Amino acid sequence: MSPFVNIHTHHYIDNKDLIQIVNIDIDNLNVDVSYFHSVGIHPWESLRSTDYSLQTLSTLSQILSFSNSQFLKAIGECGIDRACDIDIEIQKSIFIKQIEIAERHQKPLIIHCVRAYPDIISIRKETKATMPWILHGFQGNEQTAMQLLRHDGVYISLGDVLFKNEDRARRLLDIIPCERLFFETDVAERNIAEVYEKASLLSGTEIETLRNDIFNNFVKIFGDI
């Protein structure tokens, strides 16, 4: 049976039967970390200063050049958040710089997006990005999901919505193709198995099928484990 995949979490779990990408704050990153992780500049961090952002972007490029960077599976979480007070143009600028780094180093992006899905779609087109983008913690509606899925290489990850808005989650599970789907725990303390169980209940799909499908998606993007 395929392992569970937790595509985005902030809590590392020592479990050999679990595949997880742990988001690590770049300021606290030990380059010798030996488990799958992601690193990037969150849109909320854009406010700290332009100098901080430029220095962090330089650090990120350096980390990706290290010999053990195979454990750094994705850039992120990064993106755009229109619910915060940070100037949107600053957010876009830092996001685009991270897209350029991701393209240069052939790394997928894990994207934080709040009220900014049209911006994400527009930037995908403008930058002609080819690396996979995973929209984590998706909270949008079915129409937004369909607009995103029209673009090759865009994936949608579900987590909290499965527990907080079952009706919307059920509709999303109905329209998101299995080959474009991921699950996550993000900052929640729940086990990823609970997320799969909930998705199975809402979709009527066997957990084993979900595990196989999501694992295949992981391998497609990140390669063999």
Side-chain angles (χ1 to χ4, degrees), residues 72-170:
L72 204 175
K73 287 295 184 181
I75 306 301
E77 57 187 288
C78 57
I80 300 173
D81 189 330
R82 284 188 174 271
C84 68
D85 295 331
I86 300 169
D87 182 89
I88 196 67
E89 294 306 320
I90 293 175
Q91 292 189 51
K92 287 182 178 180
S93 174
I94 294 172
F95 178 43
I96 290 171
K97 285 182 172 63
Q98 290 177 93
I99 293 170
E100 293 169 352
I101 292 173
E103 293 291 310
R104 186 161 61 248
H105 292 276
Q106 296 291 284
K107 297 289 184 180
L109 287 180
I110 294 178
I111 294 177
H112 171 102
C113 180
V114 177
R115 302 177 189 170
Y117 294 110
D119 297 292
I120 297 297
I121 292 171
S122 177
I123 290 173
R124 178 83 178 179
K125 292 178 181 177
E126 291 171 5
T127 60
K128 296 181 172 60
T130 61
M131 293 307 297
W133 289 8
I134 301 167
L135 275 294
H136 105 80
F138 185 77
Q139 298 282 345
N141 58 28
E142 308 95 280
Q143 181 180 3
T144 299
M146 291 175 68
Q147 290 172 347
L148 288 165
L149 293 168
R150 291 193 186 107
H151 300 272
D152 291 339
V154 175
Y155 295 76
I156 292 177
S157 177
L158 304 179
D160 264 1
V161 69
L162 298 170
F163 299 87
K164 295 181 177 180
N165 194 330
E166 291 188 0
D167 289 339
R168 174 176 291 182
R170 191 177 287 108

Side-chain angles (χ1 to χ4, degrees), residues 122-218:
S122 177
I123 290 173
R124 178 83 178 179
K125 292 178 181 177
E126 291 171 5
T127 60
K128 296 181 172 60
T130 61
M131 293 307 297
W133 289 8
I134 301 167
L135 275 294
H136 105 80
F138 185 77
Q139 298 282 345
N141 58 28
E142 308 95 280
Q143 181 180 3
T144 299
M146 291 175 68
Q147 290 172 347
L148 288 165
L149 293 168
R150 291 193 186 107
H151 300 272
D152 291 339
V154 175
Y155 295 76
I156 292 177
S157 177
L158 304 179
D160 264 1
V161 69
L162 298 170
F163 299 87
K164 295 181 177 180
N165 194 330
E166 291 188 0
D167 289 339
R168 174 176 291 182
R170 191 177 287 108
R171 294 192 298 270
L172 288 171
L173 287 165
D174 188 50
I175 67 168
I176 299 173
C178 60
E179 64 270 17
R180 306 283 287 277
L181 179 65
F182 282 105
F183 296 122
E184 65 179 74
T185 58
D186 195 11
V187 296
E189 296 290 345
R190 66 174 64 96
N191 192 290
I192 190 63
E194 297 176 53
V195 180
Y196 278 73
E197 289 168 4
K198 190 70 171 182
S200 175
L201 177 65
L202 294 175
S203 67
T205 305
E206 295 292 334
I207 290 180
E208 290 77 10
T209 300
L210 291 174
R211 290 175 67 162
N212 289 334
D213 289 343
I214 302 304
F215 175 73
N216 289 338
N217 293 344
F218 186 92

Side-chain angles (χ1 to χ4, degrees), residues 49-69:
S49 74
T50 301
D51 288 343
Y52 166 81
S53 297
L54 292 174
Q55 179 181 354
T56 304
L57 288 165
S58 175
T59 300
L60 180 57
S61 293
Q62 293 172 20
I63 291 170
L64 285 162
S65 300
F66 293 156
S67 60
N68 68 339
S69 65

